[in-house]
Amino acid sequence: MTGSTRPTRRLSAAAGMLLALSVLAPAQAAPSGKADQGDAGKGEADKSSKENDKKEVDTEHLFGFTEGADAGEKGEQEAVIDTVTRIGKRRDGPGPSTYRVLDTRFAYQFNPIDKLSIELSAFGTLRRQRNIVDLDDKSYGTFDGVSMEVKYQFLKGSKEQPLGLALEVRPRFTRVLPVEGNGADIFDIESLLQLDVQVVPDKLWYGSNISFEPAAGRQRGGGPGYRSSTFLWSNALVGRVGENTYLGPEIRYLRGYEGTFLNRLESEALTVGPALHHRFTEKIWLTVAYAGQVWGRDTDSSLAGRALGLNQFERHNLRVKFGMEF
């Protein structure tokens, strides 16, 4: 009797163990499944967080000749090489005529606090002019002074608040008259109001500048005194055409005056052209812009009826600006 019951007991014990295992297995699998779901949920949350924390587009160099309102954050630094080529003036009589000036700026920018940038610049110029109305023939290259740019950003544009607004002041000492090319000691200070708007978040931006720049000094060698001033209103609209590439039109209206406080109008001009901005990496970028004069006039009575405002401005302007942040 005893011998006959041992197999039964063993079978019963084995069946009990299998039943227990079958009950425990789903219970153990359930926490594992929850953990997997938790990891997946965490991954989605991290991805969403990264998308939300994605850095806003820096508008400072986005618009070509027009400057964006962004000023950067505390501790940021930047090195810039900025070249503007000015081409074309009114011919003085028959024969070949040339007016070509390359103004290059080497700049270092840093941010001592959030929304405040300070930029120190040194300038060089290459010039060739021949057979131009009221200008002497010249061909040379030289050091052309220094400047400091101080910029404060009042509003930072974002998807939630699309308006950016900043004010920049640019005192500069220059050694060459910008149009004539004669040696001089000139001090000017440009005040620049900068505005930009995200028209379509992450896709389309509008930038606008209003500038007033008085200048005063004297030509070297006992030459006459120099007094002038310039008013500028520029506008640009650029869109994202690639992951890190931005392109759009730019239009500028300029007025050049004799006298430091917009005393007597000498020239006015309207320029139009494209602006391109590309980021090779998060820290390295390039901006290229062209501005061609499409309308203008000079107030000099001897130039009445002549097209364009070439007394103070050029036919063509090309800007190439390369920068590295660190």
Side-chain angles (χ1 to χ4, degrees):
M1 187 74 155
T2 304
S4 63
T5 59
R6 284 180 181 175
T8 304
R9 290 176 180 175
R10 289 175 182 173
L11 289 173
S12 299
M17 291 178 64
L18 290 173
L19 182 61
L21 289 173
S22 66
V23 172
L24 290 173
Q28 291 175 351
S32 176
K34 289 181 180 179
D36 291 342
Q37 292 176 1
D39 291 342
K42 183 179 179 181
E44 291 295 328
D46 290 343
K47 183 178 179 181
S48 177
S49 177
K50 287 180 181 178
E51 289 178 353
N52 292 334
D53 293 340
K54 186 178 180 180
K55 188 176 180 181
E56 295 282 349
V57 172
D58 187 344
T59 63
E60 182 177 9
H61 308 290
L62 192 63
F63 301 106
F65 289 92
T66 305
E67 301 283 341
D70 279 350
E73 300 176 355
K74 180 179 179 179
E76 291 184 349
Q77 301 177 75
E78 185 175 64
V80 176
I81 300 176
D82 183 7
T83 297
V84 176
T85 303
R86 300 181 283 125
I87 302 173
K89 288 285 190 181
R90 192 167 280 114
R91 182 199 308 266
D92 186 19
S97 173
T98 299
Y99 186 88
R100 184 169 60 251
V101 182
L102 277 73
D103 296 319
T104 299
R105 179 172 65 96
F106 303 91
Y108 166 69
Q109 178 181 299
F110 64 96
N111 291 66
I113 61 174
D114 289 344
K115 298 183 179 181
L116 175 68
S117 69
I118 299 175
E119 190 167 55
L120 306 175
S121 301
F123 293 81
T125 185
L126 289 173
R127 176 181 295 262
R128 179 174 174 79
Q129 58 193 52
R130 180 183 178 189
N131 196 21
I132 301 296
V133 173
D134 295 332
L135 300 184
D136 298 329
D137 293 351
K138 295 179 183 294
S139 181
Y140 65 84
T142 188
F143 170 67
D144 190 24
V146 295
S147 74
M148 180 175 71
E149 302 179 5
V150 180
K151 177 177 180 177
Y152 184 77
Q153 184 177 11
F154 296 96
L155 293 174
K156 168 70 176 177
S158 65
K159 295 177 183 178
E160 294 75 22
Q161 195 286 111
L163 176 64
L165 184 66
L167 178 65
E168 187 167 359
V169 180
R170 301 172 173 175
R172 176 183 173 182
F173 168 74
T174 184
R175 302 176 64 250
V176 177
L177 293 180
V179 175
E180 298 86 348
N182 300 334
D185 295 311
I186 305 296
F187 179 78
D188 67 69
I189 180 166
E190 182 181 12
S191 300
L192 188 66
L193 183 66
Q194 302 164 338
L195 176 147
D196 59 56
V197 179
Q198 287 196 49
V199 181
V200 179
D202 286 333
K203 292 183 179 179
L204 187 65
W205 291 261
Y206 166 73
S208 181
N209 290 170
I210 296 177
S211 165
F212 169 60
E213 183 178 6
R218 183 171 295 276
Q219 296 188 46
R220 294 200 196 94
Y226 176 83
R227 301 286 187 277
S228 73
S229 50
T230 304
F231 172 82
L232 163 71
W233 181 34
S234 66
N235 299 271
L237 187 69
V238 301
R240 190 193 293 268
V241 296
E243 181 64 25
N244 297 301
T245 305
Y246 309 83
L247 178 68
E250 184 173 29
I251 182 169
R252 302 192 302 157
Y253 175 63
L254 305 98
R255 294 172 68 91
Y257 293 83
E258 181 182 355
T260 52
F261 295 101
L262 310 179
N263 302 86
R264 186 175 70 84
L265 179 66
E266 290 190 328
S267 298
E268 58 180 334
L270 185 70
T271 69
V272 176
L276 171 70
H277 178 75
H278 178 74
R279 282 196 172 265
F280 300 100
T281 69
E282 185 179 345
K283 301 292 185 179
I284 301 175
W285 51 266
L286 175 72
T287 299
V288 179
Y290 167 77
Q293 194 173 153
V294 295
W295 175 87
R297 69 184 182 95
D298 294 318
T299 60
D300 189 334
S301 58
S302 65
L303 300 174
R306 303 289 294 272
L308 307 182
L310 299 177
N311 191 351
Q312 293 292 324
F313 310 110
E314 295 76 32
R315 294 178 187 271
H316 311 283
N317 285 263
L318 175 66
R319 185 177 199 177
V320 180
K321 186 163 55 168
F322 175 79
M324 179 180 297
E325 303 166 9
F326 52 94

